[in-house]
Amino acid sequence: MKSKKNEKDLMVSRQDLSLPMKTALPQALAERIELYPENKRRPVNKTVFKNNYFQLTYNTRNHSMAISSKGDLVYSAIPYDTARNYIQRAAIQYLLHPEEIRRYIELHQTTVEKYLTLSIFQVTGNRVDEQSFEVKQAYNAIMQNPLLEIQVAGRLMQHDETGPLSANLAGKFLFSENVKTGIAGYLSEYLNFVVQLANSLPLMIDGKEVQLLESAGQDQQLIEQGLTIHSDIDSALSLLPQEVKSGIENALVAADSAIVNTQPLLRSEYGEELSRLRENYIAHSVHPDEAEKYFKNVHSAENRNLINVVSDIHAKDGKLPFLNRHFNILAGDVSDSHVRDEEIAGVYVIGGHELVDILPETTDRSDEQWDKWRPFFNYEWFKELLQDPDEAWYLLPTGDHPFYEVVKTELAARFPKMNLLNNGSLIHEGIRYIGLTIPVALVKRKKVQQQFILKSLEKLLGEDTEIPTVIVSHAPLFNELSLLPETSEAYNKDYICEEPKIEKLFEKYTIIGAIHGHHHIPASSRRFKKTEFSGKRLFVVCSIYSKVNTGFELMSLLQEVK
């Protein structure tokens, strides 16, 4: 296996592999499916490849593939451990670029030492300084144990994306406690499996997504983000423990054989012990908002994307937390603190939080600042916005209400170089952007919502059927053009497109994609996908703000169209 090194920032190249598979299965996958008798009674999730502990399945409904552990294998003995996808991503990157994983941890040394200080206190009850011998010793132990190093890198990715960690820090960062969690054994078997898989089928694996290698085309940068048969993993093998290295080397020689090289944690052997551990677990949790002030952001706030998509920033200190002087697409919920920015340029659509953020800060409604809002005082939804916004979201009027025009005017004063698209359009460098005001997903009023969408699109699309068009809204238009996975608690199966005239419009015009926010989908899940709607292939983008994700570069998708 061989490939060139990707010298770009590790975190920049995390999740852009999420292109869905083509409907037609390549012969290699079809032949593998035929090998497993259980597939005859499985209409949806077909086994493609498996060993003792993991399996690759193909979903016949959405034409996607996924790696999952088989029932007996325990990922972690730590209760509420949510880092599996991050750690698997770090494992793939370690195979490809172990030196970058090391640099990523070193960049975060201050943060790691903070966690180690807390971990040592959890285990010993002793409060030690971050510069103490105990902390330095524990930090060095991470760097001397590649399987722990991978875990720590994954948890730092989680920290950067979702905020500071909490709960059972000792098991996550101290070598002496980590060996009891079973994660090292899980990782060892995971590494074996993905190498077996990449050596057996034309796939690209990034730690969460599995994609057909041919889907990446000739994009070498995209290919290098994941593990393939062409990847050079010799450098990583030289650093891994001998038993892990031997198992992976055996996988390269005999990809179809099941390999066991360390002892993973199995429910069949440790079931009662695991139950007791989790039953008696005492969380050592601190809310991320409280912990945030103790950690230093080591990532640059500057974003150089040419067409930068970001949403759900929820800025709380009166200013945008990132800098981009090119063209930005802000898909709503930008501010919770009356943010102003006179320099940021691009397009901006209205989200739910803007509806509260633009209201006067004074509670004295006799003040003249409230004059523009008086026409809405008697509406129930407006009363709820003032008293309890969480109860107001699903009472909001559809996006053609006069209220939103007042909101637009207020926002335009704060962002003078942004084009506020309240059911409006703008052409930028040959692409037409249509911005629809959809602050929330009105599932119970879906018919009314979709009539508004249809009416707005008919007006804004006009006579030009050829110009490439992207539709931007805060909440997704409907499930067919949403990045929210069906497995999410927020997913509602009823939020589908039931207006056939909308599909007809998509057929008639050159609509190439949709952008939304609202659902706070982390970048590690994916920031875009390709999907089929109205007989054509469209992209869907959702890029929420985090310290390591200050936006998604839309240019790569637009260039495919051009």
Side-chain angles (χ1 to χ4, degrees), residues 334-355:
V334 169
S335 170
D336 285 326
S337 57
H338 291 75
V339 169
R340 292 178 177 271
D341 193 308
E342 296 183 355
E343 296 302 322
I344 189 169
V347 299
Y348 184 166
V349 298
I350 298 170
H353 282 242
E354 276 81 9
L355 309 184

Side-chain angles (χ1 to χ4, degrees), residues 11 14 86 157-163 297 299-301 303 310-313 321-322 521-524 527 543-551:
M11 292 304 296
R14 295 178 306 157
Y86 296 94
M157 292 179 188
Q158 182 183 30
H159 169 108
D160 284 337
E161 189 169 290
T162 64
N297 178 23
H299 298 284
S300 172
N303 178 305
V310 64
S311 72
D312 301 276
I313 297 169
F322 72 96
I521 302 169
S524 59
R527 285 179 282 182
S543 180
I544 69 163
Y545 170 80
S546 74
K547 286 184 174 60
V548 294
N549 175 33
T550 57

Side-chain angles (χ1 to χ4, degrees), residues 405-513:
E405 192 63 23
V406 182
V407 175
K408 169 188 170 180
T409 302
E410 291 294 298
L411 288 174
R414 296 184 189 177
F415 299 87
K417 292 187 179 179
M418 295 296 288
N419 295 275
L420 272 296
L421 298 184
N422 172 36
N423 310 317
S425 66
L426 172 82
I427 296 176
H428 175 74
E429 295 185 352
I431 304 293
R432 175 170 55 186
Y433 296 92
I434 288 179
L436 299 183
T437 297
I438 306 180
V440 294
L442 297 176
V443 181
K444 292 184 178 179
R445 287 185 283 149
K446 175 177 54 179
K447 184 175 181 179
V448 175
Q449 181 90 306
Q450 292 183 9
Q451 282 296 311
F452 151 70
I453 293 172
L454 175 63
K455 181 180 177 181
S456 299
L457 289 179
E458 286 177 335
K459 176 182 176 181
L460 295 168
L461 287 168
E463 299 298 323
D464 192 340
T465 61
E466 299 301 321
I467 184 171
T469 300
V470 177
I471 300 174
V472 187
S473 58
H474 178 61
L477 301 176
F478 27 73
N479 287 344
E480 291 87 340
L481 296 179
S482 170
L483 215 62
L484 187 69
E486 294 183 21
T487 54
S488 169
E489 292 182 3
Y491 184 84
N492 189 317
K493 63 181 178 60
D494 295 325
Y495 193 59
I496 58 174
C497 181
E498 291 187 345
E499 174 50 74
K501 291 183 180 179
I502 292 178
E503 291 198 52
K504 291 294 184 182
L505 277 183
F506 273 76
E507 291 176 12
K508 178 179 178 181
Y509 291 87
T510 311
I511 299 172
I512 60 175

Side-chain angles (χ1 to χ4, degrees), residues 145-152 178 184-185 187-188 191 240-241 244 262:
N145 295 275
L147 294 179
L148 180 55
E149 188 176 349
I150 291 170
Q151 294 176 54
V152 169
N178 183 267
L187 255 181
S188 177
L191 290 169
L240 288 167
V244 181
T262 61

